[in-house]
Amino acid sequence: MLQPTKPAIMIIGGAEDKVHGREILRTFFNRSGGPEAHIAIIPSASREPNLTGGRYVSIFEDMGAKSVQMLDIREREQTNDPYWQRATEECTGVFLTGGDQLRLCALLADTALIDTVRLRAQMGQITLAGTSAGAAIMGHHMIAGGGSGESPNRALVDMATGLSIVPELIVDQHFHNRNRMARLMSAVSMYADLLGIGIDEDTCAMVEQGGGLQVLGKGTVTVIDPSDMTHTNEPIVGSTDPLSLHSLKIHILCHGDRYHLHKRALL
């Protein structure tokens, strides 16, 4: 059973249900404190932050949160605003919306504001959720863009530096919906010490304190574990040449399934 007020890091594949059961968003609300929740919405990834952020403000206000604030950060200098810094220090939940992950990182990386959010999330003091672009930034190495529908190759994926919320992961979102398996495999071939996590739409990989991961939602979470990989030609082939990846371990998890990120084992 879910523990409603226990903090977690919620990595959402995008297009989560905002109208009907709202299971993922309601779980975030409950994990942030339910009626006692103080929620901060950061819509900085979006081209229309007022519209995008305002929709989540309305959703969590309708659910009954004690307070919901939108941190409409459009310039890096705004992260120094003492009012917003205090909001991240006092909130019980932070929600990163979708949009452009490169824009989000350009605005927030190496700022005191995101350092506060990261530390509090990793210490289990707040529930942190990110959807779509807000999910992509969770690892230290981030998928910034790329293609789909091809065999794995280095040119299929563009990598950048994320916000290191869960640094051992490479996250891809809208996963099976946009045929991104080869893209994530290509990323994993470059960083074989990390786990690849592909999350479908309206699906969440919820990471608990201690490294346990639980799947919520209607789709699947794909885990690509290269720890037993015996061979890859990635260092020696051209950027558009197909990749060999021998003995990858792949798990496809659905609602209720559990996995341990540190033990790299099903629970």
Side-chain angles (χ1 to χ4, degrees):
M1 296 293 292
L2 297 178
Q3 300 181 44
T5 58
K6 185 178 179 183
I9 296 171
M10 299 180 63
I11 312 173
I12 306 166
E16 71 283 352
D17 175 16
K18 302 176 184 67
V19 178
H20 302 292
R22 296 175 170 174
E23 176 189 23
I24 293 170
L25 295 178
R26 190 164 293 280
T27 299
F28 169 77
F29 166 75
N30 288 331
R31 291 274 181 150
S32 298
E36 298 301 314
H38 296 269
I39 294 172
I41 310 294
I42 301 179
S44 302
S46 175
R47 293 181 180 177
E48 298 180 311
N50 282 332
L51 182 64
T52 302
R55 186 170 191 188
Y56 286 102
V57 169
S58 297
I59 288 170
F60 296 126
E61 285 181 342
D62 289 346
M63 288 182 183
K66 195 161 192 174
S67 70
V68 187
Q69 294 175 280
M70 183 167 66
L71 280 58
D72 186 5
I73 299 167
R74 305 190 191 196
E75 303 292 340
R76 282 181 64 86
E77 293 74 19
Q78 293 176 272
T79 63
N80 297 319
D81 187 322
Y83 179 80
W84 284 348
Q85 182 66 35
R86 187 163 59 252
T88 60
E89 292 169 354
E90 296 176 354
C91 68
T92 59
V94 173
F95 195 97
L96 304 172
T97 75
D100 181 345
Q101 53 263 45
L102 286 173
R103 171 177 167 79
L104 185 60
C105 287
L107 289 170
L108 297 185
D110 301 316
T111 65
L113 187 144
I114 202 62
D115 288 348
T116 298
V117 171
R118 180 192 304 107
L119 181 61
R120 295 193 69 208
Q122 291 174 347
M123 293 179 65
Q125 296 176 354
I126 61 170
T127 292
L128 172 62
T131 185
S132 190
I137 56 81
M138 289 288 179
H140 176 72
H141 295 285
M142 174 182 79
I143 294 178
S148 62
E150 300 179 29
S151 58
N153 66 83
R154 289 205 311 272
L156 194 61
V157 61
D158 301 321
M159 301 298 295
T161 302
L163 296 181
S164 296
I165 308 296
V166 190
E168 62 265 40
L169 302 183
I170 301 175
V171 177
D172 210 347
Q173 7 73 31
H174 304 279
F175 191 62
H176 282 111
N177 312 82
R178 299 186 185 176
N179 196 14
R180 289 177 168 172
M181 178 72 85
R183 181 167 95 163
L184 184 56
M185 286 182 171
S186 303
V188 167
S189 76
M190 303 176 198
Y191 302 100
D193 56 328
L194 304 178
L195 278 173
I197 302 287
I199 308 171
D200 293 350
E201 294 178 357
D202 197 17
T203 309
C204 173
M206 185 167 63
V207 180
E208 310 274 9
Q209 281 285 293
L213 178 153
Q214 181 174 346
V215 179
L216 304 175
K218 294 182 179 177
T220 62
V221 171
T222 301
V223 179
I224 301 179
D225 176 6
S227 57
D228 293 333
M229 187 167 63
T230 57
H231 169 75
T232 177
N233 62 352
E234 188 273 335
I236 61 172
V237 297
S239 63
T240 59
D241 292 332
L243 293 172
S244 294
L245 300 160
H246 297 182
S247 300
L248 280 183
K249 188 182 293 183
I250 297 177
H251 305 285
I252 297 181
L253 313 178
C254 62
H255 183 88
D257 286 347
R258 300 180 66 90
Y259 182 84
H260 201 286
L261 299 179
H262 304 156
K263 298 177 181 177
R264 299 200 174 189
L266 297 168
L267 297 175

